[in-house]
Amino acid sequence: MNSRLPFRSIAGLGVVAGALAAAIQAQAHAHLIASAPAKDATVAAPTLLTLHFSEKLEAKFSGLELDRSDATRVPVTSAVPNDDPKTILGRVAGRLPPGVYTVKWHNVSADSHRMEGSYSFTVR
């Protein structure tokens, strides 16, 4: 009996191992799954921005910024609450006048993977 695996079996195992590694790595990133205001929404001026992610975040390395359509920064204090480590909260300083705003977020998940992204909403 021949105890060596045929080349096709070894190649097949390599493909399976590669697919599993890719799936594990894809799960390791904290993706934005919901937000308030939502992407492309038109809303009354919010005082709080809430972004929910798919993974726990490292609070020290996660946050958000808010820009007006003319690229000026709006003062926002952001934090990851201890009781909800998959969320970034942003408290808006003052009242937002009507216009288009862009939320720019960045995070580091508990296993040290960095992600960033942005989306816009409109204040009526």
Side-chain angles (χ1 to χ4, degrees):
M1 174 161 46
N2 188 350
S3 64
R4 294 187 306 171
L5 289 173
F7 176 73
R8 279 187 257 171
S9 296
I10 294 170
L13 288 174
V15 169
V16 170
L20 286 173
I24 290 168
Q25 186 174 8
Q27 291 177 356
H29 294 80
H31 297 279
L32 181 64
I33 56 174
S35 63
K39 177 182 178 185
D40 299 327
T42 299
V43 298
T47 57
L48 182 67
L49 308 174
T50 306
L51 283 67
H52 296 285
F53 293 87
S54 59
E55 303 282 331
K56 289 182 180 179
L57 306 175
E58 289 293 330
K60 189 172 168 180
F61 304 108
S62 302
L64 60 83
E65 292 83 36
L66 183 63
D67 292 339
R68 292 186 178 102
S69 58
D70 64 2
T72 59
R73 180 84 13 110
V74 176
V76 174
T77 303
S78 66
V80 175
N82 290 334
D83 62 343
D84 191 0
K86 293 183 179 182
T87 299
I88 298 175
L89 298 177
R91 297 215 179 271
V92 179
R95 183 162 172 82
L96 297 177
V100 177
Y101 293 84
T102 300
V103 177
K104 297 178 182 176
W105 56 266
H106 60 274
N107 68 42
V108 174
S109 60
D111 60 0
S112 77
H113 287 100
R114 181 171 172 75
M115 295 282 293
E116 59 185 41
S118 65
Y119 71 92
S120 296
F121 66 91
T122 302
V123 172
R124 61 175 168 255

